[in-house]
Amino acid sequence: MNQYFQSEHVVINTLNEKMELVCTDLLLCYMKTPLHLINPNDENQFLSTSTVYLGVKVLNQIKISAIQQRKDLLKEFSNRFINFIKTSCLQINKRYDFSNTILPLVNMLTPSVALSSKMREKYPPITCLSEQLHRIVNGDSNIQKLDDQRRTIVLVRLPNEIQTEKESDKCWTLIKELGTGKFIDLAEFALAVLSLPHSNASCERVFSKINCIKTKSRNKLITSTVSATVITSECLKKNNLNCICFQPTKLMFDSVSYTSLYPSSVTNKNELNTNKTMININEEEEIFLLED
């Protein structure tokens, strides 16, 4: 789970499903009640210590005759195991809100769901999700566009690279870049939702990167420079590039000019030249008047 939450890939669309699966798996290790009635603290619902699932390696280990003879230790071990799993389930319930109504709906943005007419029937309209995300989309007309595009996208034959793409963010980026622009509103909405962080790991990762960029010897870097450096680093990393193999394009070289890098200086310089011109004109007028 720790590795899952620290993933750099987009997982928010599968987060709720993953959490439900993990919690269910843990509960079934030591409980016998139907899932919707389970109470992790109710000992009446616990399995007997002999039927608790301990895992293959542990089960093979306790088959050793020397261990089998110590029934008291086996019982103590099972009780500790149950207590550990129970605590894990309670902590998961404490940290993750299974009653959240948004996260289960985000799964409809998974490519295998969004691009399948069969899977569409298993999920409510996209309006159920968009209406809860007012900061991403608002207005009945915009929501209607999303709903229309979501219903239409399963009827259109998309390029093979889109149909075979498993990564949600990459898939929606390809859809957004389609020449027709037919599903651009839906793609932008999906990318906005998928960009929501599933944990604080990505934020902490950015903080660490900024600390490496803005060091004591570079403490005067302005925010825009730091931001651009972080974005550049992420783009290079995304494309499996680095500072050694990266090849700048001509457009990049042309963009690095004095006017683009120091627009305020250029403006001040132009103003200075204008003032000098005005002074020269005034001086010439004064000389002309004196001669007259």
Side-chain angles (χ1 to χ4, degrees):
M1 285 302 296
N2 188 43
Q3 185 178 5
Y4 181 82
F5 276 99
Q6 291 188 10
S7 172
E8 295 186 26
H9 297 284
V10 174
V11 296
I12 191 172
N13 52 318
T14 58
L15 179 61
N16 189 75
E17 183 180 4
K18 178 72 173 179
M19 293 301 298
E20 287 182 347
L21 180 63
V22 169
C23 195
T24 300
D25 190 30
L26 290 174
L27 288 170
L28 292 179
C29 286
Y30 74 101
M31 305 202 76
K32 57 187 176 182
T33 308
L35 286 175
H36 65 285
L37 298 175
I38 276 182
N39 177 8
N41 281 320
D42 188 358
E43 296 186 3
N44 295 323
Q45 299 178 8
F46 290 4
L47 294 171
S48 62
T49 53
S50 60
T51 56
V52 169
Y53 180 71
L54 303 173
V56 176
K57 290 185 178 180
V58 175
L59 291 174
N60 289 334
Q61 189 70 21
I62 62 178
K63 288 179 181 178
I64 299 174
S65 57
I67 297 178
Q68 283 289 329
Q69 294 174 4
R70 299 295 305 272
K71 300 296 182 182
D72 55 331
L73 291 180
L74 287 174
K75 185 176 181 180
E76 177 67 18
F77 176 78
S78 297
N79 289 334
R80 289 190 178 188
F81 173 78
I82 291 175
N83 187 56
F84 174 78
I85 298 296
K86 181 183 73 173
T87 303
S88 300
C89 292
L90 292 173
Q91 291 300 320
I92 289 175
N93 285 323
K94 183 179 178 180
R95 287 169 169 76
Y96 184 80
D97 183 13
F98 285 97
S99 63
N100 187 292
T101 58
I102 297 178
L103 287 175
L105 295 175
V106 177
N107 194 40
M108 70 171 66
L109 300 177
T110 304
S112 59
V113 176
L115 306 181
S116 171
S117 57
K118 294 181 180 179
M119 293 299 295
R120 188 183 70 175
E121 299 173 358
K122 298 181 180 180
Y123 286 84
I126 199 169
T127 53
C128 295
L129 176 61
S130 59
E131 287 175 351
Q132 298 187 66
L133 301 172
H134 302 292
R135 294 188 178 183
I136 296 178
V137 60
N138 52 42
D140 293 339
S141 59
N142 294 329
I143 294 176
Q144 185 62 54
K145 283 183 182 179
L146 294 179
D147 193 49
D148 292 341
Q149 292 177 19
R150 194 225 174 185
R151 288 185 292 105
T152 307
I153 196 170
V154 297
L155 306 176
V156 178
R157 183 171 180 79
L158 298 170
N160 188 55
E161 61 176 341
I162 293 179
Q163 296 182 10
T164 56
E165 180 58 62
K166 303 300 182 183
E167 296 285 343
S168 300
D169 55 330
K170 293 180 180 179
C171 179
W172 286 109
T173 300
L174 292 173
I175 293 174
K176 180 182 177 180
E177 294 173 351
L178 283 174
T180 59
K182 194 173 183 179
F183 306 107
I184 189 169
D185 297 299
L186 178 61
E188 288 180 348
F189 171 75
L191 290 171
V193 175
L194 295 174
S195 66
L196 298 173
H198 59 276
S199 70
N200 65 345
S202 57
C203 302
E204 295 292 342
R205 200 175 288 119
V206 172
F207 292 151
S208 298
K209 184 166 291 186
I210 290 176
N211 288 334
C212 293
I213 295 171
K214 195 167 185 178
T215 59
K216 289 183 178 180
S217 58
R218 306 174 72 191
N219 61 0
K220 291 186 178 181
L221 287 176
I222 59 177
T223 304
S224 58
T225 302
V226 175
S227 176
T229 306
V230 172
I231 293 173
T232 302
S233 174
E234 289 298 315
C235 290
L236 291 175
K237 185 177 180 181
K238 182 179 180 181
N239 295 292
N240 297 320
L241 298 173
N242 53 50
C243 59
I244 298 174
C245 62
F246 175 70
Q247 294 294 330
T249 63
K250 184 178 182 302
L251 179 61
M252 292 179 181
F253 281 120
D254 294 340
S255 300
V256 183
S257 62
Y258 184 82
T259 54
S260 62
L261 294 176
Y262 308 103
S264 58
S265 299
V266 173
T267 303
N268 294 335
K269 188 175 181 180
N270 291 336
E271 290 178 354
L272 182 61
N273 291 334
T274 303
N275 292 334
K276 286 182 178 179
T277 304
M278 293 299 295
I279 291 172
N280 291 334
I281 292 173
N282 292 332
E283 288 178 350
E284 290 177 358
E285 289 179 350
E286 290 178 1
I287 293 172
F288 179 77
L289 291 172
L290 289 172
E291 290 178 351
D292 287 348

